[in-house]
Amino acid sequence: QVQLVESGGGSVQAGGSLRLACVASRYISGSVCMGWFRQAPGKEREGVAVIDSDGSTTYTDSVKGRFTISKDNAKTALYLHMNSLKPEDTAKYYCALKWALTCTVVAAREFGAPYWGQGTQVTVSS
């Protein structure tokens, strides 16, 4: 079993920055895809950014140029640097992990990850 724990959420004003982190409960070997997803009240959980086993990244269009996903393989940790935050970025952010060689950003129901964190809230005020 793998547990994922997110941290770093909070409340900021529009234009501000936050850094989210997600750490796995144990080292994960092999080809792993990890991603950040978010869910606003009443909306489907959407993919924000994913990073695959060789470090290739994809982003949903609304965050391109503002968010950066990165990982630390040695710690099986995942990060999301969020800059120029907008009120529409307000959501609960989740990290997810699955074994795969490659992956792209898709809706959570399509990503097919067996492991999810509990989420961390990000609130951006105007």
Side-chain angles (χ1 to χ4, degrees), residues 9-121:
S11 297
V12 295
Q13 289 190 328
S17 299
L18 284 173
R19 177 181 178 267
L20 305 183
C22 169
V23 180
S25 56
R26 63 175 178 86
Y27 173 71
I28 308 295
S29 61
S31 299
V32 171
C33 283
M34 297 185 74
W36 287 100
F37 298 77
R38 66 187 180 186
Q39 189 168 21
K43 293 190 176 181
E44 182 181 16
R45 190 174 297 185
E46 65 170 346
V48 175
V50 300
I51 185 166
D52 66 17
S53 56
D54 69 0
S56 296
T57 60
T58 57
Y59 298 87
T60 193
D61 286 345
S62 63
V63 308
K64 286 179 181 177
R66 300 189 297 122
F67 291 10
T68 303
I69 188 171
S70 61
K71 64 177 181 175
D72 182 333
N73 289 328
K75 300 178 182 179
T76 311
L78 184 71
Y79 306 98
L80 187 67
H81 297 258
M82 305 185 293
N83 297 318
S84 303
L85 283 160
K86 303 176 181 179
E88 50 264 43
D89 295 318
T90 295
K92 196 165 189 179
Y93 284 70
Y94 300 84
C95 68
L97 179 152
K98 67 177 182 179
W99 279 272
L101 281 175
T102 62
C103 54
T104 57
V105 66
V106 293
R109 54 181 166 78
E110 299 177 50
F111 193 67
Y115 301 112
W116 290 85
Q118 293 300 306
T120 184
Q121 180 67 36

